[in-house]
Amino acid sequence: MKLLRSWLQDWIDLTDIDDTDLSTALESLGFEIEDYKLIKPDYKNIIVGKVVEIYPHPNADKVRVTKVDVGNKVYEIVCGAWNFEEGAIVPVALPNSYIKDSFKIDKRDIRGVESNGMICSASELNLWDEHDGILILDESFKIGSDLSKTYNSTDSYWEVGVTPNRGDCMSYLGIARELSTYLNKKLKKIEHPLNPKLKPVLKVNSGKSKLCSSYQSIEIENISIKDSSFLIKYRLSNIGVRIINNVVDYTNYVLHDIGQPLHAFDRDKLYGTISVRKAKEGEKLKTLDEQIRTLDNEDLIITDNNEPIALAGVMGGFDTEVTNATRNLLIESAYFDKVSIMKTSRKLNLISDASVRFERGIDRNIQAYGLKRFTNLYELDENIQYSEISDSSKQTESENFITFDTSLIESILGQVIDNKFITSTLKSLSIESEIKKDTIKFKQPSWRYDLERPIDLIEEIAKHYGFNNFKSTLPIGNNLNQVGNYWNVRKYFIDKLSLEKFNETQSLSFTQKEYNEFFDPDKEGVKVLNPIDQTQEYLRTNLYYSLIKTYKFNYEQNNFSGKYFEINNIYNNSTNKNYKKIPKQDYTLGFLVPDNNSKINPMQYIASFLRKILPGVSFEQLSKPGFHQNNSYVIMVDNKLVGHTGQLSYLLKEELDLSENLFLSQIYLEELNFEGLNTSNYKPLSHYPFIKFDLSFKVNRDLNANDLIQEVENLLQNNENSIKVFDDYAFEKTRNLGIRIVTRSYEKTYNEKENTEILNMIVDKLTSKFNITLNEKGE
C-alpha cells in the first residue's frame, strides 16, 4: 500500500505528528515500511500564467507564438504544443527558472522570434507522465503565483506491506482508522449528501448467485470525458497509478481512498437489466484489453439482458467501455465473493488493484458510500446530473458474537490490560463489544474478516496497547537460551563454511524429474499437485542440481562464481519415520567446489575440510550415478553413513554444458549431533624442532590419496603432524602423487640417524601396503 501524508491528512489530523512518529506508529500497527521518501518539487521558479493571445509564428508552421500574463508582466513565448487556446491557465518557466533534472531555462531565439522561457507540460515538471501537451490548470490557480505554493508540493511518501488478512487496510480509510485509534485522533467523516435529479433508466439485479451479495449503481448524464483535477492526478501519479481521464481517475481514486472498487459503463451501450450470474461453460467475452476470453462455470460475470458484458471484479468488457464519445455513465459498486474473484483473476492472469482488493475482502457495507464518493468528486469538477442509487442487495447472515474470559488476555500477553483501555480501543475501532468483569463478547465489523477467534482480538488489543509498553521480564525455565540440536547444527555448519569463504544460497525445492534422476534414479520423486510449470513438477531429491544451477547462472552472468552451500530439505516418496501421511524429508547440507577454486586437488581440499569440521570422519570409495567412477566416496562418521562427496562425471559435465570440473558434497544433518560436532579434539604443540619430508610416488590412477595420509598419521600417531598432498599429476597410464610430511616429537629432538629411520619406515610401509613406487631424484 502506497501512502501520501497529504492524502492521509484528509482522514486524520497529523499536524502535530512528524514523519518519524508516523513511521513508528505504522510499524507498531504491523505495517512493514518497505520504502520512505520525501517528495519535493523537481523544478524552481515556475509561475502560474494565463495565455492572453496566440498567433502564428512568421517562420515556422509547427509552433505558435503566445503572449502569457504572469501577473505583473506579459511575456512572448514560443510554444510547440497545440492542446490549449487563449484564456488557458498554464505553468510558465521564465528565464532563470529550472524544470526537471535542474535544467535551466533561458531566453532563446526560435526562428527569428525571441522566446522568453517556455510553457511547461506535466512531464517537464516531473509531476506525472504526460507528454501530449502542456499542463492546463483550472481557474482556482491564481495568476502570478509560485506553482509550488498552490498545492502540497512537499509531501511524504511511504510504501507499507499489508498482510493478506488485512484487506481493510488496502485503503487510506483503513490505514487512517488504525492510526486514529493508535494516535488517539478522531477519524474524519468525508461525505456530502447527494441531490439526485434523475430517475434510473436501467434496472440492476444482484442475481441468484450467492457470490454477489450486493450490486448497486448510479447513473450520470451529459458528462464530458476530459482530464481530472490537478489534485487527483497529482495524488494518483505519486502512488504509481496511470493517469487516463476523469472517469477512470475518479474510480481509481475511490478504490485507493476507501477500498471500494468501481466500474464505469457507457450507459448508452446498455439496453436491459444489469445482473450477475455464473458464466456458462465455453461462454466468450471480449475484455477491455481486446482479448477474447473463454470462460467456465466458475467465473462470475456481469450481464446485460443475460449477455456477458464484464468479468465481475476483474475486468470490464470491450463493448461497453467508456470512450471519448461517452456522454452517459452507469457506475457499478458491488460486493463479490473473494474466492471466486481470486480463482478467475489467477486463472486468466488478470490481476489488478481491484481484483486484489476483492480477493482480500472489501467492506460488505461500503458499496453505496463508494458511489457517493465518486459522485462527490465529479461534482467538484463539473456540474452533473445523476440518479438515485439503485440497490439490489441480498440479506446476509449477521456475524455471531464471540465470547471469551478476560483472564485469557493476561495468560497470552503476560500483561494485565485495563478494561477501560480495552473498551475505548474497541469503540474507536468500531468493533461492537460487551465487556464485563470476567468476559468479553465481540462481533467483527463488516470490514474485519480477520477477527474470527479470541486470539485475533487479543492481538488487536496488544497492538494498540503498544508492544513497547509491555514490561521487560526475564524468561522462566530450566532450558534458557537453548535453541535445540536443529539450529545448533545449522549454525555450526554455516559458521564453518562461511569461514572457508563459501557463499550461502537458498533455492526453491521444485525441479523436474530429469534433474532428480541425474543423481538419484532409484528414488521415487514427490510430484507436485499444482506445479507452476512443467519444469517444476517434482520436489528435489538432492541439492546437487540446485547448486550446479546457481554456479552456472553466476558464471554465465560474468559474476564471481566460487564455492556455494545450501542447507535445506530434500524429498522422496519413501516412508517418513515420524509422519506416515507425508513424504520423507531429509534435512541436508550440500556444497559445491569448482576445480579452479582450490590451490590443491579439490577432492583433497574437501577431505581436509571435512576432517576439520566432522570429528571421526572417514571416506570409502563408492560409485554413484552422476559422479566420476573413480572419484566418488561415501562420508562416514563413527562408521555411520552421513553423506556423499565426489567429482561430477564428465558425461554430466558435458550434458550440462559446464566449463569447469565441479566437486559436490551432501551431508544428512539429522544424522549428526551438535554435542559430537562441538567436541574439541586437539594435540598440544611440541617444544622440539620439526623434520620435513617431501615424498613423490608413482601410484595407480584410482588410488585414494587420503588412504596414504591416514596411514602416515597412524605410523606417527605419537607425534605432532601436518601431512598434505602437494602434488597430484596424472599421465595417460600413471600418476605422480607428492606428500609433504612435517612431524616432531613431544619428547626429544631427532638426530640424523633417527630422521633416516623414520623416513625409511614411512617409505617401506607405503610402498608395500599400497604397491606404489618411490620416485628417485629427477623423476
Side-chain angles (χ1 to χ4, degrees):
M1 181 68 188
K2 297 173 181 177
L3 303 172
L4 294 178
R5 183 187 178 94
S6 60
W7 198 337
L8 273 175
Q9 183 76 30
D10 288 355
W11 289 101
I12 179 174
D13 183 11
L14 299 173
T15 51
D16 59 340
I17 308 294
D18 62 26
D19 284 2
T20 301
D21 290 339
L22 192 54
S23 295
T24 301
L26 288 168
E27 288 184 322
S28 298
L29 289 168
F31 305 114
E32 181 182 357
I33 296 176
E34 298 171 354
D35 190 19
Y36 165 79
K37 63 183 177 182
L38 289 174
I39 298 174
K40 295 182 179 180
D42 194 11
Y43 58 82
K44 187 178 179 181
N45 300 331
I46 303 299
I47 306 300
V48 177
K50 182 176 183 178
V51 179
V52 294
E53 189 176 350
I54 303 175
Y55 49 90
H57 192 292
N59 303 313
D61 296 333
K62 294 185 178 181
V63 296
R64 298 183 294 176
V65 182
T66 68
K67 287 188 176 180
V68 183
D69 180 6
V70 295
N72 56 1
K73 191 174 180 180
V74 175
Y75 289 89
E76 191 172 59
I77 298 174
V78 178
C79 183
W82 292 73
N83 68 318
F84 65 98
E85 301 298 335
E86 291 179 359
I89 311 296
V90 294
V92 182
L94 297 174
N96 294 319
S97 61
Y98 295 84
I99 59 174
K100 73 174 182 179
D101 299 329
S102 300
F103 186 87
K104 187 177 180 181
I105 301 300
D106 289 314
K107 290 183 180 180
R108 289 181 59 196
D109 183 278
I110 300 177
R111 302 291 293 272
V113 176
E114 185 177 65
S115 180
N116 294 281
M118 67 182 290
I119 302 174
C120 304
S121 69
S123 62
E124 287 165 337
L125 301 178
N126 206 17
L127 292 171
W128 54 82
D129 190 19
E130 190 174 62
H131 302 273
D132 294 339
I134 60 107
L135 172 60
I136 299 176
L137 306 172
D138 60 49
E139 296 291 336
S140 65
F141 286 79
K142 184 178 179 182
I143 308 301
S145 60
D146 184 337
L147 179 65
S148 65
K149 301 290 195 300
T150 61
Y151 68 100
N152 285 312
S153 59
T154 300
D155 211 336
S156 303
Y157 166 94
W158 290 266
E159 184 170 358
V160 299
V162 178
T163 54
N165 65 326
R166 293 303 305 271
D168 61 300
C169 291
M170 294 291 288
S171 68
Y172 279 84
L173 170 59
I175 297 288
R177 186 188 288 122
E178 294 288 303
L179 286 171
S180 68
T181 303
Y182 187 86
L183 298 172
N184 197 24
K185 298 277 188 178
K186 187 176 180 180
L187 185 68
K188 301 177 185 178
K189 290 186 178 180
I190 306 177
E191 184 176 355
H192 303 287
L194 296 184
N195 184 24
K197 296 182 178 180
L198 304 173
K199 290 291 183 181
V201 174
L202 299 171
K203 292 182 179 180
V204 298
N205 191 324
S206 61
K208 297 178 181 179
S209 174
K210 293 181 180 180
L211 301 180
C212 176
S213 61
S214 176
Y215 194 92
Q216 303 185 36
S217 68
I218 194 168
E219 297 174 31
I220 305 175
E221 294 185 352
N222 299 319
I223 60 100
S224 56
I225 303 297
K226 59 181 183 178
D227 286 348
S228 52
S229 67
F230 182 93
L231 175 67
I232 298 294
K233 290 192 286 187
Y234 178 74
R235 285 184 172 179
L236 289 178
S237 63
N238 273 292
I239 62 169
V241 178
R242 188 164 64 95
I243 306 303
I244 299 178
N245 59 47
N246 52 350
V247 175
V248 178
D249 291 351
Y250 293 150
T251 59
N252 283 332
Y253 190 90
V254 172
L255 172 78
H256 289 88
D257 192 38
I258 66 171
Q260 173 62 50
L262 304 175
H263 183 68
F265 294 97
D266 186 328
R267 194 189 69 179
D268 297 331
K269 298 175 182 178
L270 304 172
Y271 304 101
T273 299
I274 310 303
S275 187
V276 185
R277 65 169 170 84
K278 283 187 175 182
K280 301 171 186 175
E281 195 69 36
E283 195 166 17
K284 297 185 184 300
L285 171 67
K286 188 176 183 180
T287 47
L288 286 172
D289 56 1
E290 301 187 41
Q291 299 293 313
I292 296 176
R293 310 284 178 178
T294 302
L295 310 176
D296 60 38
N297 55 19
E298 292 296 316
D299 299 319
L300 196 64
I301 58 172
I302 312 300
T303 63
D304 176 18
N305 274 349
N306 210 36
E307 292 298 316
I309 58 172
L311 268 173
V314 179
M315 183 175 280
F318 179 79
D319 294 335
T320 56
E321 74 170 325
V322 173
T323 67
N324 289 335
T326 298
R327 292 296 172 262
N328 301 308
L329 296 172
L330 182 137
I331 307 299
E332 163 200 286
S333 181
Y335 178 87
F336 301 121
D337 178 74
K338 55 185 179 180
V339 175
S340 172
I341 301 303
M342 179 187 69
K343 286 181 177 179
T344 298
S345 64
R346 294 294 188 270
K347 180 184 67 179
L348 299 177
N349 197 26
L350 290 173
I351 300 171
S352 62
D353 286 338
S355 69
V356 168
R357 281 161 177 78
F358 277 122
E359 288 173 24
R360 296 192 177 189
I362 64 169
D363 188 343
R364 296 186 295 271
N365 298 326
I366 205 173
Q367 286 67 55
Y369 185 45
L371 294 173
K372 290 177 183 177
R373 285 289 289 140
F374 178 89
T375 308
N376 290 157
L377 289 170
Y378 219 129
E379 284 183 307
L380 293 174
D381 187 41
E382 186 177 349
N383 290 323
I384 56 172
Q385 290 189 329
Y386 48 87
S387 71
E388 301 169 345
I389 293 175
S390 299
D391 182 1
S392 175
S393 299
K394 300 180 180 72
Q395 187 173 2
T396 56
E397 294 181 9
S398 61
E399 296 296 326
N400 294 323
F401 277 96
I402 300 169
T403 305
F404 64 96
D405 292 340
T406 53
S407 59
L408 185 61
I409 296 176
E410 183 181 0
S411 66
I412 294 293
L413 302 180
Q415 178 91 14
V416 176
I417 296 182
D418 186 67
N419 278 359
K420 289 183 180 179
F421 174 82
I422 296 172
T423 301
S424 63
T425 298
L426 298 185
K427 182 180 180 181
S428 179
L429 291 170
S430 300
I431 298 173
E432 186 180 349
S433 62
E434 183 180 324
I435 301 175
K436 297 181 179 179
K437 183 178 180 181
D438 298 324
T439 61
I440 294 178
K441 185 165 70 171
F442 74 95
K443 182 191 289 188
Q444 64 173 214
S446 57
W447 57 87
R448 289 298 300 271
Y449 301 96
D450 59 310
L451 298 179
E452 299 176 325
R453 305 161 299 167
I455 191 67
D456 300 323
L457 191 75
I458 293 171
E459 180 187 7
E460 200 69 17
I461 293 168
K463 187 170 62 177
H464 287 279
Y465 184 79
F467 293 110
N468 292 334
N469 295 323
F470 281 72
K471 295 177 182 178
S472 297
T473 57
L474 292 173
I476 300 171
N478 297 322
N479 296 312
L480 302 182
N481 304 319
Q482 296 298 313
V483 296
N485 189 68
Y486 176 95
W487 290 108
N488 282 328
V489 169
R490 181 184 181 91
K491 186 176 186 303
Y492 175 83
F493 281 103
I494 289 174
D495 290 345
K496 297 297 183 184
L497 288 155
S498 298
L499 285 172
E500 283 289 317
K501 298 184 178 178
F502 279 81
N503 300 291
E504 184 175 7
T505 70
Q506 286 292 315
S507 58
L508 295 176
S509 296
F510 305 118
T511 188
Q512 59 191 77
K513 188 175 183 180
E514 176 189 2
Y515 299 147
N516 280 341
E517 292 179 344
F518 282 160
F519 303 100
D520 298 305
D522 58 325
K523 291 184 179 178
E524 183 186 352
V526 179
K527 194 168 185 179
V528 180
L529 291 176
N530 53 340
I532 299 171
D533 55 50
Q534 291 181 346
T535 66
Q536 303 186 66
E537 286 186 312
Y538 285 82
L539 296 179
R540 60 187 171 195
T541 58
N542 59 75
L543 295 175
Y544 297 132
Y545 184 74
S546 300
L547 291 164
I548 294 171
K549 187 178 178 181
T550 301
Y551 169 84
K552 187 178 179 183
F553 173 80
N554 282 281
Y555 187 87
E556 290 176 347
Q557 298 296 317
N558 294 319
N559 294 332
F560 171 76
S561 199
K563 299 179 291 186
Y564 297 99
F565 79 94
E566 179 170 356
I567 299 176
N568 227 319
N569 285 332
I570 58 176
Y571 308 83
N572 67 76
N573 253 334
S574 59
T575 304
N576 189 310
K577 63 182 180 181
N578 296 321
Y579 307 100
K580 293 181 180 180
K581 293 185 179 181
I582 66 173
K584 185 181 180 186
Q585 303 179 30
D586 290 316
Y587 186 52
T588 306
L589 160 69
F591 60 89
L592 175 150
V593 177
D595 197 8
N596 64 352
N597 210 264
S598 176
K599 294 180 181 178
I600 62 172
N601 179 290
M603 210 61 244
Q604 302 300 327
Y605 167 77
I606 292 171
S608 175
F609 173 60
L610 290 177
R611 285 193 180 93
K612 287 193 292 184
I613 66 172
L614 287 177
V617 70
S618 60
F619 306 92
E620 293 181 12
Q621 191 165 8
L622 182 72
S623 61
K624 177 178 170 61
F627 286 85
H628 191 293
Q629 185 175 358
N630 297 323
N631 215 1
S632 171
Y633 307 90
V634 292
I635 303 170
M636 310 288 291
V637 172
D638 297 329
N639 296 317
K640 182 170 65 174
L641 190 150
V642 299
H644 176 270
T645 185
Q647 179 184 345
L648 188 70
S649 71
Y650 293 128
L651 186 66
L652 203 49
K653 172 188 171 185
E654 183 177 347
E655 185 173 342
L656 296 175
D657 193 25
L658 298 167
S659 58
E660 296 284 342
N661 289 323
L662 300 182
F663 295 79
L664 300 156
S665 303
Q666 190 166 272
I667 299 172
Y668 306 116
L669 299 184
E670 291 177 9
E671 301 295 333
L672 302 174
N673 184 279
F674 178 68
E675 297 302 325
L677 294 173
N678 208 33
T679 302
S680 298
N681 294 324
Y682 68 94
K683 283 186 176 182
L685 296 176
S686 170
H687 299 293
Y688 298 95
F690 61 79
I691 57 175
K692 174 182 169 184
F693 309 114
D694 282 346
L695 303 178
S696 178
F697 297 94
K698 282 183 182 177
V699 304
N700 293 328
R701 290 175 62 89
D702 59 352
L703 177 73
N704 184 359
N706 291 318
D707 294 340
L708 268 67
I709 292 173
Q710 191 61 51
E711 186 63 30
V712 177
E713 286 277 10
N714 292 338
L715 291 171
L716 302 173
Q717 59 182 323
N718 294 323
N719 284 8
E720 178 195 336
N721 305 311
S722 174
I723 306 166
K724 295 179 181 178
V725 174
F726 71 85
D727 180 45
D728 192 350
Y729 188 81
F731 299 95
E732 286 187 15
K733 296 183 179 181
T734 60
R735 172 180 165 205
N736 276 352
L737 184 66
I739 299 177
R740 176 164 296 154
I741 303 167
V742 180
T743 184
R744 58 181 173 179
S745 170
Y746 288 105
E747 299 172 352
K748 61 181 178 178
T749 300
Y750 289 126
N751 57 38
E752 190 171 340
K753 181 182 177 182
E754 289 170 325
N755 290 354
T756 304
E757 289 173 351
I758 293 171
L759 174 60
N760 290 335
M761 176 187 67
I762 293 171
V763 171
D764 291 344
K765 186 66 174 179
L766 296 181
T767 53
S768 62
K769 182 172 181 176
F770 297 101
N771 195 22
I772 59 178
T773 306
L774 180 68
N775 287 324
E776 302 296 333
K777 287 187 178 180
E779 288 189 277

